[in-house]
Amino acid sequence: MYITVKRILDILLSGLLLIFLALPMLIISFIIMLTSRGGAIFKQERVGKDGRIFVCYKFRTMYRWAPDGLPTARFENSRDYITPVGAVLRRCSLDELPQLLNVFLGDMSLVGPRPLIAGEGEIHRLRQRCGVYRIRPGITGLAQVNGRDEIEDIEKARLDVRYLRNISIAEDIKIIAKTVSGVVGGKGFSG
């Protein structure tokens, strides 16, 4: 039952946020395009609900020559690829704002396991085995508020399963509140 309510809330909240944040997102887009060559929006294929591939939108935080199809954590030296503006956007999680469109369109939810790049082998296999792909991926999730970039894949998968088993409006509100406080404090972020 909550899954249906969750989808309705996702549509309403993402729609309102897209309207409310339209001007700041437009300003961010101009700053990105003025400070480095290329478009403002980065598009990447991610694994969604039922293992379906969808295009995930983010603000571009890297130079155009950055390797494609790899999570930033697997770059040899990610700092060489991240633009100065991109570093700020990542630290504040503002690069995630275009994913509100993914939420509105139904590819994602506000809260859920983060969408993976198909090449993220181990965590992808763990999620498949545990049924995590029965729900939509989220802009934020339990793993993001419990370590984000600082925890190993197996722990992320464990937290994804815990979320799946305890999915509720109370859990989502708690995760959103922790996300806001974590973003403000820069907790769990590694460039």
Side-chain angles (χ1 to χ4, degrees):
M1 178 66 184
Y2 176 60
I3 296 297
T4 304
V5 173
K6 182 177 172 70
R7 180 67 195 127
I8 293 166
L9 290 172
D10 280 341
I11 293 168
L12 292 174
L13 292 173
S14 63
L16 287 171
L17 286 168
L18 282 166
I19 293 166
F20 180 71
L21 296 171
L23 183 58
M25 289 173 69
L26 192 60
I27 292 168
I28 290 169
S29 297
F30 282 128
I31 292 170
I32 291 168
M33 291 188 294
L34 286 173
T35 56
S36 64
R37 294 183 70 180
I41 301 295
F42 172 72
K43 301 173 193 171
Q44 189 174 56
E45 289 188 345
R46 299 285 179 107
V47 182
K49 186 178 185 296
D50 301 322
R52 186 179 59 83
I53 301 296
F54 72 97
V55 176
C56 183
Y57 303 107
K58 296 178 85 171
F59 281 124
R60 183 176 56 82
T61 59
M62 296 192 180
Y63 294 107
R64 292 185 309 166
W65 59 82
D68 193 24
L70 282 176
T72 309
R74 298 216 176 118
F75 286 11
E76 196 166 309
N77 189 357
S78 62
R79 288 192 178 106
D80 291 345
Y81 300 105
I82 298 172
T83 67
V85 169
V88 173
L89 293 175
R90 283 171 167 243
R91 182 152 308 277
C92 301
S93 295
L94 294 174
D95 60 320
E96 311 284 352
L97 289 178
Q99 289 173 34
L100 289 168
L101 182 59
N102 288 115
V103 174
F104 189 78
L105 295 173
D107 298 319
M108 293 177 66
S109 180
L110 291 172
V111 180
R114 285 293 297 150
L116 299 175
I117 298 166
E120 293 183 76
E122 180 61 21
I123 189 169
H124 181 60
R125 282 188 292 276
L126 289 167
R127 281 182 171 185
Q128 283 179 315
R129 195 177 322 143
C130 298
V132 172
Y133 290 123
R134 291 193 314 242
I135 57 175
R136 286 180 177 84
I139 294 178
T140 188
L142 200 53
Q144 280 58 51
V145 298
N146 284 286
R148 197 172 168 183
D149 295 334
E150 296 173 351
I151 57 176
E152 298 296 322
D153 284 352
I154 195 152
E155 178 63 10
K156 287 179 185 176
R158 188 186 70 73
L159 289 165
D160 292 341
V161 171
R162 190 170 117 197
Y163 176 76
L164 175 66
R165 291 180 180 157
N166 299 298
I167 194 167
S168 68
I169 194 162
E171 184 72 4
D172 283 1
I173 290 169
K174 188 167 73 173
I175 289 169
I176 289 169
K178 282 186 174 182
T179 299
V180 172
S181 69
V183 167
V184 169
K187 186 180 174 188
F189 173 81
S190 65

